[in-house]
Amino acid sequence: MLTGVSVSLNRLFSRGPAARRHIIPTGLDLSSPTNGQLHGRFPGVEGNWLGVVNYSISYADSHLKPLQVFDQLVPFWALRLRQ
């Protein structure tokens, strides 16, 4: 069963506190949430839940076609049900 979710890319791919910032104009834009399809769920051994999600990531250059990723394990804390 497919469930519409929003993937918080900035939480999922957060930068370390000491990471230097270097802008790459053609890089992936991880600053905003993106829509995805949740199609599986797995519990972690410590009680955390992981979703299996298909979603896309846009590039900073809007002329480039978004990167489509499939069957990605995403922790539930980076997901939100889409209305």
Side-chain angles (χ1 to χ4, degrees):
M1 180 160 141
L2 293 175
T3 303
V5 293
S6 175
V7 181
S8 178
L9 296 174
N10 62 339
R11 291 188 69 201
L12 184 60
F13 298 107
S14 64
R15 296 172 50 81
R20 291 183 50 201
R21 193 174 164 113
H22 176 74
I23 303 298
I24 301 172
T26 56
L28 293 170
D29 182 3
L30 303 174
S31 63
S32 331
T34 189
N35 291 334
Q37 293 290 322
L38 173 71
H39 60 93
R41 297 166 176 84
F42 292 96
V45 71
E46 295 181 2
N48 54 320
W49 281 86
L50 302 163
V52 183
V53 184
N54 298 339
Y55 60 94
S56 62
I57 305 174
S58 296
Y59 285 90
D61 181 345
S62 61
H63 294 96
L64 298 172
K65 187 176 176 183
L67 174 67
Q68 304 292 322
V69 293
F70 301 95
D71 299 335
Q72 302 296 299
L73 281 176
V74 179
F76 267 33
W77 51 259
L79 298 174
R80 180 171 282 167
L81 283 178
R82 217 175 38 206
Q83 299 299 326

